[in-house]
Amino acid sequence: MNSEHVNDSAILTVTDLSRTFGGVKAVNNLSFSVSENNIHAIIGPNGAGKSTLFNLITGVITPNQGKIQLVNQDITSLRPDKIAEQGVSRTFQNIRLFPDMTVFETVLIGTYLLTGGKLLPAVFRTKHFRNKERQAKERIEEILKFVGLWGMRHEYAAKLSYGNQRRVEIARALATNPRLLLLDEPTAGMNQKETKELMQLFSEVNKQGITILIIAHDMHLVNTLSNQITVINFGEKLVEGPPEIIQSHPAVIEAYMGRAEVNA
Amino acid sequence: MGQFKHRGFLKIGLILAVAALFFLPLGISNPYVMYIINLILIYVLLSLGLDLIVGYTGQVSIGHGAFFGIGAYVAAILGKNLGFSLWINLPLSIAVTALIGFAIGFIGLKLIEEYLVMATLAFGTIIWLVFLNWTDLTGGPMGISGIPAPPTIKLGSFEFPFIQYHDYYPLLLIFVLLGILITRLIIHSGFGRACTAIREDELAAQAMGIPVFKTKVMMFTISAAFCGAAGALYAHFLHVVSPETFAFGMSVTILTMVMIGGQGSIAGSIIGASILTVSSEVLRETPELRMLIYGLLIVIMIMFFPKGIMGLFKISKKRLLQRNIQAKKAAVEKEGLSYEQ
Amino acid sequence: MFVDQLINGIVLGSIYALMAIGYTMVWNVLRFINFAHGEVYMGGAFVSLYLLLLDTPIWLAYIGGVCAGALLGYLMEKMVYMRMRSAPKLNLLIAAIGISIVLQNLAQYIWGATPERLTSPFLSKNIAIGDMMINQHYIFIIILTIVVMIALELFINRTLMGKAVQAASQNINATQLMGINANKIISITFAIGSAVGALAGILVGPVFLVYPTMGVFAGLKGFTASVMGGMGNIPGAMIAGLLLGIIESFAAGFISSGYRDAVAMVILLFILLVRPQGIFGKVIQQKV
């Protein structure tokens, strides 16, 4: 156990996490914690292990060693759906929508944890079942209006603009009612206007009490949006701190900004 | 308001159409035609069942003919040897096929899509070999004949005996309507939506909290039970079961029905079952030509029209929807309002 | 008796191993199980049979059958699978089922359903080893299988094309980026896997006869072997094939002949239940 990482207000605590792929250490002895209500950014050059880290946290892949805790609960090696149940939701680096569904239908999938997947209540249309269905639909109306997609709810999600597709993905994640939202390079490939609008959306989501852990390349975004930054390289933590400190940290400038893209 | 009125009319129309279906036999005098129609009803139940797992959940099975067979043999053996009626055999057939379906789903749905195909094929083959070789129980290649007709239904002074094909029709129709209703109730629920999400993107579905494996196995079980029910009805309707009916070709036939009609569509199942039942009666004399045509249809449909006949309708509906949205957009812009309202 | 069963098992196992190679090679490059592989086995045997009817010399008829099998595999890839690269895997699978049905019934339409025996120059001769007699054709099957396996091993590890196939099995997209034509590699893989499958069908023809549905069980058993060996693992498939043949041969002694074919099916279901990644396999990881 790494004692320097005791964080009382932490919603997520990662301790000594490692994962190798055929000899390559994608994530190596990584420890950090995310404080409740923060917007916490993970930055690092391509191949630094950021997406692997997300896949480890969400249970898509299992770690070789280390521990992942959500508040006080150990979620290491739980199945992805169990982790979602605990209040962790995510978007994917390459947007993953359901190709044959409209915006409304897509976001409705996110209410699975609310409605449940029980069979008999569905067949007998019990009062409880109908109530949950109604609640789910009301919740979606609320979310879609919040992300600004209510007017497009009947369109096929995959046919929307890139920025709006990302909004659908975020809406779907919000529908699971998460405590912690993981965003994997949400603004990659967006134009400036879309990026700005999405940033606005993220801080509104955060104001609702949802902690955000975000992977980003865009330094401008990271600096203005987040209040804590963890820099990783070669699967290891380089430095951590608020943006003001990270910006001027020599190790970061050398390892990351020195050669990787600086979009600010 | 206008839309509600529209929907009300649709509903009344639908009820009338369904009611009219019950009077269909009055217009049919030829028993052979009635036989074909009854057969279509049984196949509709089979395709509905297979479509639940193939169309709605995206997992391919080519062993559903075996579930059909198990349902039929359970009813045949109990009906012939113990004199049980359809009303006891039907729930038993459903229970047995659901149980076996659960086991096969559990085995085949673990790792990759193809494993289910192979597991169901292996399972179908084993079951077929059992039908063929366990002569004491199944009658071997000869099968079982003399399965009793359902008992006469008495409602007050009215009696409905089961003698001709015409008498079976209302019974089969009721079960098909029940099957359609249950299918609808299932797909428009959290469980049904979870299945569709799994079909579209398993990983994204799981990230939304959907227990992928459990959901798939549950749907596979239901799907097997549908075929079990169809089997029990088939045994009591035809009074004969024999192993060659439930060989690999049956599984392929059901899959072809689903593919032709359109995966993930109730109407598609009905259309597919109707087209294939009629065409197989027409091609009765040349079975190898029939299977050749089925195979070609499967390849052509999946390459060029993966959503089947109903998919063609859906495309035009989608276009209509799109045009509607465009029109609304234009109207809204004209009034200087934002579309995002 | 014991040795008899063992030799029968090895012969059967050689056939299953040859079939398993086809499944596993295609899986490696496309992550797809060519469901119609059993029909390549049948097709090769039928073409050999047909060539023999035309008074072709036996060796030429055999080679002709193998080439026809390769062509069949190549054509199904080019005509169907290649056009469906961007389609969901489910669709590819259904297409393969369709192809398999088409080929089976086409064969029945052309050649009829009656099983026929393929000629073999060795079938009527026996070799005495100690005090037991072994059919020369069995020895021929075993030797040819060993030759094919060595040749495949050399091809994959010693030739440029083989190395490209290997690279493709790691990551087909990266291979494309490196300037190797991915479609060409897939075609070659299909052709080689199918040639080996067709050879299996031809070798079996003199013993178990040739008929339109002969590929169904052979395909399933080959697939069983490839799962046992760990999908994508070529040496694993070879060993598992032999193992399956021997198990089946011994198990068949204990049960009635009607259930003989069920043995491999039960093994398949058992493997899928307890060790779906195969005896020698790694856990299959989903790509994110």
Side-chain angles (χ1 to χ4, degrees), chain B residues 54 58-60 62 104 106-108 110-115 117-119 121-123 125-126 128-130 133-134 199 202-203 248 252 255 259 263 287-289 291-292 294-296 298-299 302-303 306, chain C residues 23 27 31-33 35 79-80 83-84 89-95 97-99 101-102 104-106 108-109 217 220 223 227 231 258-259 261-262 265-266 268-269 272-274 276-277 284 286-288:
Chain B
V54 175
Q59 313 295 315
V60 183
I62 45 171
I104 295 302
F106 191 85
I107 292 172
K110 259 190 183 161
L111 218 52
I112 50 173
E113 286 104 329
E114 285 90 344
Y115 281 8
V117 177
M118 291 304 192
L121 178 56
F123 159 72
T125 310
I126 293 171
W128 182 67
L129 288 173
V130 169
N133 290 302
W134 195 354
R199 177 191 73 198
E202 222 172 286
L203 201 68
F248 179 59
V252 172
L255 183 66
M259 296 306 306
Q263 314 169 42
E288 73 277 1
L289 192 64
M291 288 306 283
L292 184 62
Y294 286 2
L296 278 173
I298 290 181
V299 178
I302 200 67
M303 283 182 79
Chain C
Y23 283 108
W27 167 265
R31 289 290 179 273
F32 154 69
I33 288 163
F35 193 82
M79 287 169 67
V80 182
R83 291 162 198 267
M84 297 180 73
K89 243 168 95 178
L90 171 78
N91 295 12
L92 216 64
L93 202 61
I94 294 175
I97 294 171
I99 292 175
I101 296 160
V102 168
Q104 264 175 45
N105 291 283
L106 196 64
Q108 183 160 346
Y109 201 67
F217 281 124
L220 249 170
F223 172 77
V227 172
M231 216 61 214
Y259 287 112
D261 286 323
M265 316 289 116
V266 173
L268 173 61
L269 292 179
L272 290 181
L273 179 66
V274 298
Q277 71 273 33
I284 297 166
Q286 216 168 358
K287 191 142 173 57
V288 186

Side-chain angles (χ1 to χ4, degrees), chain A residues 80-81 84 96 98-100 108-109 112-113 115-117 119 122-123 125 129 133 148 151-152 154-156 172 176, chain B residues 185 188-191 193-194 196-197 200-201 203-204 206-211 218 222 307 318 321 325 339-341:
Chain A
D81 50 294
R96 294 184 85 119
F98 304 119
D100 211 23
L108 195 53
I109 300 298
Y112 179 84
L113 290 170
T115 60
L119 191 65
V123 172
R125 286 294 191 260
F129 175 87
E133 285 289 300
M152 304 176 200
H154 293 310
E155 293 192 41
Y156 280 85
R172 185 179 65 184
T176 67
Chain B
L185 290 172
H188 295 291
S189 76
F191 170 68
R193 290 193 296 265
T196 326
E200 300 280 303
D201 188 329
L203 201 68
Q206 205 173 18
M208 296 301 112
I210 294 167
M218 250 165 89
I222 299 168
K307 295 268 159 186
K318 216 187 273 181
L321 203 73
I325 292 167
Y339 177 54
E340 305 277 302
Q341 292 294 298

